[in-house]
Amino acid sequence: MQYIPISTYNSPTVILELIYRLKVKDVMSRNLMTAGKNTSLRSIQKSMKESSVTGIPIIEGKRLLGIISMDDIIQAFDGGYIDEPAMKHMSRNLIVLEDDMPVSFAISYFDKHKYRRFPVLNKEKELVGMVTSRDITTRLLVEINTEVARIERVSSSQEPAGELKRETKTFKVIRHDFENAGFASMEIKKYLKKNTIAPKVIRRIAIAAYELEMNLVVHSNGGEIIAVFETDRVNISAKDSGPGIPDVDLALQEGYSTANEWIRSLGFGAGMGLPNVRNVSDDFSIKSSMENGTEVNAAIQFSIT
């Protein structure tokens, strides 16, 4: 199992910002080795050995049909069918990523599933890349070094920030708009970083905003994220027009989810979104009805340092 020691819950703020901002297409490998459905397993094994890879996508045109892994090759040798075509023995029940998803989605895949790699498809459902845990950690290391250098430059020239002004920002969130998922939470974080607020508090606010935004993208018909900045707190609200939550108490239990199979195949539906928001909030409330949709309010208090 490939483990990435990063989470959307308790990672440092700079890393959280990166995994929300970066998309899967920013970290994936584009130089793919592929094979056709009639390619023999022996030929695929030779290609794996020459290129030091442990899995090859099987395609027809640009459409992904399946994957042959090293385990499949070993079983073929043991079973005596190494010269048979890939189509007879490839894995067809695949879990894929989409190239416009945030990297945070990919990280959740490696935490949840026991795969070493995930195929990446574009909006036309064409195979455009592969992602491994190494792809993600390598790109994050590069981005972190760049970000640290930027922060050092800004810190040396930046004037002290003043008191946080009272302000309200509203963001429209569209159902299943994975390409822009995380935009609202990123904008909220950018606004807070202009003020001398403790990084741990910014992290809590970012978690609440991100989880609520993802809930709107994944589970609702769309809605709004509303951030109200006060002198001593930030209030994050998520409002949608439906569908409502049948049992709010059940929805707040860790691990409970009503996500359908398609949503689960995208790596969602772990049942931790609302519990995470409640855990990082100083004040939390939720109301929902099948007629009027759902409204969640989360308040995080802070002090200017």
Side-chain angles (χ1 to χ4, degrees):
M1 181 175 182
Q2 301 298 298
Y3 173 68
I4 301 177
I6 297 169
S7 78
T8 58
Y9 185 78
N10 57 10
S11 294
T13 301
V14 64
I15 296 179
L16 285 175
E17 182 170 341
L18 289 174
I19 64 178
Y20 294 159
R21 174 172 60 82
L22 291 173
K23 302 293 184 182
V24 170
K25 57 188 168 188
D26 297 324
V27 302
M28 69 183 186
S29 299
R30 298 174 183 270
N31 186 21
L32 299 179
M33 173 174 292
T34 62
K37 62 182 181 180
N38 294 316
T39 305
S40 72
L41 296 176
R42 186 182 298 276
S43 177
I44 291 174
Q45 183 272 334
K46 181 179 179 182
S47 296
M48 285 183 174
K49 182 177 180 180
E50 291 175 349
S51 302
S52 299
V53 297
T54 58
I56 290 184
I58 307 303
I59 63 172
E60 187 173 50
K62 295 183 179 181
R63 185 167 64 93
L64 177 65
L65 301 178
I67 286 182
I68 292 293
S69 68
M70 185 58 70
D71 288 339
D72 296 322
I73 296 297
I74 293 172
Q75 291 179 27
F77 274 117
D78 291 342
Y81 52 84
I82 191 64
D83 290 309
E84 293 188 2
M87 63 181 298
K88 292 185 64 175
H89 303 285
M90 64 186 180
S91 300
R92 299 174 184 269
N93 187 22
L94 303 178
I95 298 175
V96 302
L97 287 161
E98 295 182 11
D99 64 351
D100 58 2
M101 288 179 170
V103 166
S104 58
F105 293 11
I107 291 173
S108 72
Y109 274 43
F110 285 102
D111 288 342
K112 182 179 180 181
H113 304 288
K114 297 181 180 180
Y115 299 138
R116 296 181 178 179
R117 70 197 68 79
F118 292 99
V120 181
L121 308 183
N122 62 16
K123 291 181 179 179
E124 288 71 41
K125 305 304 178 184
E126 300 170 336
L127 179 67
V128 291
M130 294 284 284
V131 168
T132 66
S133 58
R134 183 175 182 179
D135 291 330
I136 294 175
T137 53
T138 299
R139 179 59 186 268
L140 284 177
L141 284 173
V142 172
E143 293 290 336
I144 288 170
N145 287 334
T146 301
E147 183 67 9
V148 168
R150 185 194 68 80
I151 292 172
E152 289 176 348
R153 290 196 302 271
V154 171
S155 298
S156 63
S157 61
Q158 193 174 49
E159 295 181 1
E163 183 178 277
L164 189 66
K165 296 180 180 179
R166 293 174 181 259
E167 188 171 349
T168 298
K169 293 181 180 291
T170 302
F171 306 90
K172 184 177 181 180
V173 180
I174 300 173
R175 179 176 184 260
H176 295 168
D177 182 8
F178 296 112
E179 184 171 2
N180 294 302
F183 174 79
S185 53
M186 282 298 302
E187 289 299 305
I188 291 169
K189 184 185 296 184
K190 286 180 183 178
Y191 183 82
L192 291 169
K193 288 177 70 175
K194 294 178 182 178
N195 300 271
T196 50
I197 299 172
K200 289 183 179 180
V201 177
I202 293 179
R203 184 186 306 123
R204 290 170 56 204
I205 296 169
I207 290 168
Y210 182 77
E211 295 287 11
L212 290 176
E213 186 177 1
M214 290 302 101
N215 271 354
L216 290 181
V217 171
V218 174
H219 298 293
S220 81
N221 295 327
E224 290 182 335
I225 293 290
I226 303 169
V228 181
F229 301 93
E230 304 283 353
T231 56
D232 63 345
R233 65 167 51 198
V234 174
N235 298 284
I236 308 292
S237 299
K239 299 180 180 180
D240 66 64
S241 57
I245 301 174
D247 190 328
V248 171
D249 290 335
L250 198 57
L252 289 171
Q253 292 183 16
E254 294 186 2
Y256 175 79
S257 176
T258 58
N260 60 34
E261 288 303 315
W262 178 69
I263 292 297
R264 291 178 186 276
S265 74
L266 294 179
F268 299 104
M272 293 301 297
L274 289 176
N276 280 346
V277 176
R278 183 175 59 181
N279 289 340
V280 300
S281 300
D282 294 306
D283 293 302
F284 175 87
S285 66
I286 179 172
K287 58 182 180 181
S288 183
S289 71
M290 306 309 289
E291 296 79 19
N292 300 317
T294 302
E295 179 177 344
V296 183
N297 292 286
I300 295 92
Q301 297 178 339
F302 58 82
S303 59
I304 303 296
T305 59

